[in-house]
Amino acid sequence: MYSSLNSKSQDVNGAARRPHTDHSFIPPCQAKCPLQMDIREYVDLAAQGKVMEALQVIRSGNPFPSICAHVCTHPCEEACRRTQVDSPVSIRALKRFAVEFGGDRMVLAEAETTRPEKVAIVGSGPGGLACAYYLRKLGYPVTIFEAHAEMGGMLRVGIPQYRLPRAVVDTEVQRLISMGAEIRTNTRVMSLDLLFDMGYKAVFVTIGAHQGLRMGIEGEESPGVLDGATLLREVNLGLKPSLGQRVVVVGGGNVAIDAARTALRLGIPSVDILYRRSRKEMPADETEIKEALEEGVNIQYLVAPVNIKRANGDLCVTCVRMELGEPDARGRRQPVPIEGSEFTMKVDTLVSAIGQAPQMPGGFGIRIGRGSTIQVDPLTLTTNRLGVFAGGDAVTGPATVVEALAAGRQAAHRIDDYLQHKYPRPVSTNQPVMTGELDQQTIELVRKIGRFEPLYLPVEDRTRDFKPVESVFDWESAVNEARRCLRCGVGAEILFQDKCASCLNCVRVCPYHVPYIDMAGTIIIPPDQCQACGICVAECPARAIVMRKPRERRHIADELDHIVKTAAQSKARPLLIGFLCQYGLFGTGTLAGLWRSGKAGIWIVPVLCTSKVEAHHMLRPFEMGVEGVFVAGCGEQCSRENTDHWVQQRIHKVRKLLAQIGIEPERLQAFVSDKNDGRRLREELERFTEQVSSLCLASILKQEVRN
Amino acid sequence: MIVAEAKNLTEIGKTIAPYGRILVLGCGTCVTVCGAGGEREVALLHDALRLMDMKAGNGKHVFLECTLKRQCDPEFLDVLEEKAANVDAVLSLGCGIGVQAVAERLPDLPVLPGVNTSFLGMAKEWGVWDERCAACGDCRLDETAGICPITRCTKGILNGPCAGTKNGRCEVSKEMDCAWVLIYQRLENMRQLETMRRYYPPRNFRAIPRPKRVLSKINAAGGGHE
Ligand SMILES: Cc1cc2nc3c(=O)[nH]c(=O)nc-3n(C[C@H](O)[C@H](O)[C@H](O)COP(=O)(O)OP(=O)(O)OC[C@H]3O[C@@H](n4cnc5c(N)ncnc54)[C@H](O)[C@@H]3O)c2cc1C
Ligand code: SF4
């Protein structure tokens, strides 16, 4: 008698078990992402080499993943708890891997117009593009108005091409056009009334922050002084500004670094950055500072210009040295000039990159606040004018691409609410966020695996032109990097407390010593320490422990069910079923041909770590007439502890049962993959196939003799 | 706690042979803890028995499974009314007490043991169990430094050690600690070595009537449910 593999166990009292709900936590990376992307999920898919699936997850949370894959400031990596063990997971680089290998460029975007209300978007930066994307998805006709000749806002006129190739932005714009968004470039909107007169029912203002802030020092208007955003805009639009031989950039943010690196690429031999605090306080991204230094930018810390004079064709910049004084209210130590430390530099061009502010045409009639930013209601993004919404840098001041994307998406939904007269619902989720640090003990027990980095262009090749500096991960590094994810918040839980016999198996088997006994004698599995290896789930004699995600609870049984049904139709003999780890070598695809090339009918049940294969999973296939079963783990590449040990324990137990039943125990085997090309595994498997074949033959003979 | 061990499948196969519908009944207490008869083992045994049926080519059995909180308390057995309604036999993975409790509840059904009840003991570590108590009904652990010579001494002698002790090990097996050496060492640690000098008269096992019963109540009116 064969019942479905899943519906086997019944509840003691005949009542239905608690509903199969998701008890997972939102991981810290996702909580930190302004778009709330399901990072843990796509990183896991990348670890299995499932790039298409990973891309699908990414696309469901991000309208322009290829852009973020290049330039996102990845706040997720700052939140990554792997940092406590060694270093954070390279989430952005993994996204780029999934985007490029998953074929994001081929993805077709379509949208249908189902609503009559037209919406105008002012500004085509990431905020505007995202809003247009989601409004099209919601069925609204949209028009994007852009002052420049090119679309993309700072993506196009700010961020240099060596970090974000132009083609990436073009692809996204093309996709928007094919989704039916109307585009008006070279159109600076000066009045919103006009837009309403033209029949637009709502307006989203994302004009960014493009006006360079003034340094407030004497001589700032001298020829040869320009601001960073302007320099980058000119270069990005194909102009070749003549900057002379010596350039000095003032500022410590990403714009300053980009301006300096751009100057190098224009062939300027001497490029300095002046920053008034020390390296520790520098707001620019750490990797970018590193790259700039590698390329030959000279950063002078604790220096600020105080005066600029033009003399004999030189720009004489008088600077003063600083020291760090008392921390201010925000805890930042304020630079204080050191008396008498003035010195003068002779340069050809000074680029000031100390920040930008939005520049809003007076005709908009919307209220602005501190730093000329537009004031909005944070929940609805509404301004003081009915039907006018705003977001992105224009509201926050200079921020990031991903924040602008999030604002664009939020605006699209709030505009939809507004146009349909719906009350804006705050997006609520009752899923808790995983907080808390890893305990020292857990940190010590987690296997240390250093971060894999994608390849970078050699320094000497970088500054000649605007070629992209970072390349995409190769397949193997990506898979290995993705495996470093600790899978925060999807671990094991004692779901059926009533069944827990307090046997302490979980306490004893956990390789990370996570479960503990509290003062009352109750067993607790703290979710913030659990590493989701699944060993205790498979070892709990009461089956009280489950994985927090319902899909993971059923995963192996479902896959086995499916494979067994398909395999039953196959004629190839002997019929073998293997539980194969999907990570490591298997994720790289190296072993894809493994079972197809074999003579035998080898069928694979993909498992996410062999430590989750339970004894009854190993026994099941025999009942279906399968002649041999094997479990193949990823061996040395395993990112977890003890997996092989537990596979061996269970194999031992099932073999004993097989022997008692009268089935040769050798029909059940465990293999581990070797690190390189899987040849050893292939050979072992061939030997196993032969062994099973001869066992089959022997048992047929025995049967005949008996008859 | 009671420690049990799974019976050999061949033996189980023989005992269930005459019956068609069989309820495999687990117990959620001691045998769950020692990994012999909890829900996981019930499910595994269920699978193994079906495979055995298939191998023998006579798929005549139908198995049902269920795991009770505790088989040895009558109140927990009420669900059997429904669970065992249409079966020909019950295969209990409870200890010997569980099997008897279930048998008592189901007067006209065969109740078969699925495990061998081994001893009263404790876990040494994951997957290793040691005997500790013989349930003799006359506890003397106060005099033997908390170490039971009846279960831990191979010979169960009350005035040890015997002449077979060598380097703290028992003559029966070099792997085994001599219980009396352990007792000596503990008494020494506690500065109570003089206890060793005493002689313990042999116990009269005949004097202990079986079956034993523990009474913790007096016969008075009222009280719990009848
Ligand atoms: C040099 C530089 C490097 C950066 N690097 C990064 C990075 O690596 N990672 C990151 O996350 N962020 C980076 N940023 C920040 C990021 O680019 C911005 O936060 C983001 O582009 C803001 O998007 P937005 O849509 O709000 O505005 P913007 O991208 O600024 O777009 C606004 C658009 O509106 C148009 N516009 C303005 N006024 C009008 C008008 N009246 N009518 C019509 N159109 C108008 C502008 O021409 C512009 O195209 C960088 C910024 C700069 C300047
Ligand atoms: S380890 Fe994984 S789940 Fe945890 S924060 Fe890092 S990427 Fe997210």
Side-chain angles (χ1 to χ4, degrees), chain A residues 1 12 498 505 614 623, chain B residues 40-41 50 67 69 126:
Chain A
M1 198 199 89
V12 177
D498 51 330
N505 267 292
E614 301 177 23
E623 199 185 332
Chain B
R40 175 170 303 280
E41 296 312 307
R50 261 203 334 250
T67 301
K69 185 101 186 165
W126 183 84

Side-chain angles (χ1 to χ4, degrees), chain A residues 273-330:
Chain A
I273 291 181
L274 307 183
Y275 178 52
R276 59 192 186 130
R277 290 188 172 88
S278 72
R279 168 131 191 205
K280 204 168 121 247
E281 287 81 25
M282 204 156 175
D285 189 84
E286 194 54 43
T287 13
E288 299 216 11
I289 302 176
K290 201 183 104 228
E291 286 172 20
L293 290 171
E294 283 169 3
E295 289 166 12
V297 172
N298 179 33
I299 306 184
Q300 305 192 31
Y301 300 100
L302 294 163
V303 170
V306 285
N307 184 296
I308 303 170
K309 262 201 206 88
R310 184 108 222 160
N312 307 330
D314 285 331
L315 209 53
C316 300
V317 184
T318 307
C319 303
V320 63
R321 297 200 188 277
M322 309 289 234
E323 60 189 356
L324 291 179
E326 291 301 307
D328 64 3
R330 281 159 59 208

Side-chain angles (χ1 to χ4, degrees), chain A residues 1 8 10 12 17 498-499 501 505 509 537-541 543 614 616 620 623 646 653 660-662, chain B residues 8-10 28 32-33 38-41 43-44 47-48 50-52 54-55 65 67 69 83 123 126:
Chain A
M1 198 199 89
K8 255 172 29 97
Q10 295 151 309
V12 177
R17 275 185 182 166
D498 51 330
K499 285 201 214 166
N505 267 292
V509 302
V537 175
E539 292 300 325
C540 173
R543 299 220 279 199
E614 301 177 23
H616 73 271
R620 268 301 168 112
E623 199 185 332
W646 293 105
K653 183 169 182 171
Q660 292 171 7
I661 292 170
Chain B
N8 190 301
L9 278 176
T10 335
T32 295
V33 175
E39 191 177 312
R40 175 170 303 280
E41 296 312 307
L44 189 62
D47 284 353
R50 261 203 334 250
L51 180 57
M52 198 156 74
M54 194 206 87
K55 182 86 191 357
E65 56 180 84
T67 301
K69 185 101 186 165
K83 292 283 174 192
W126 183 84

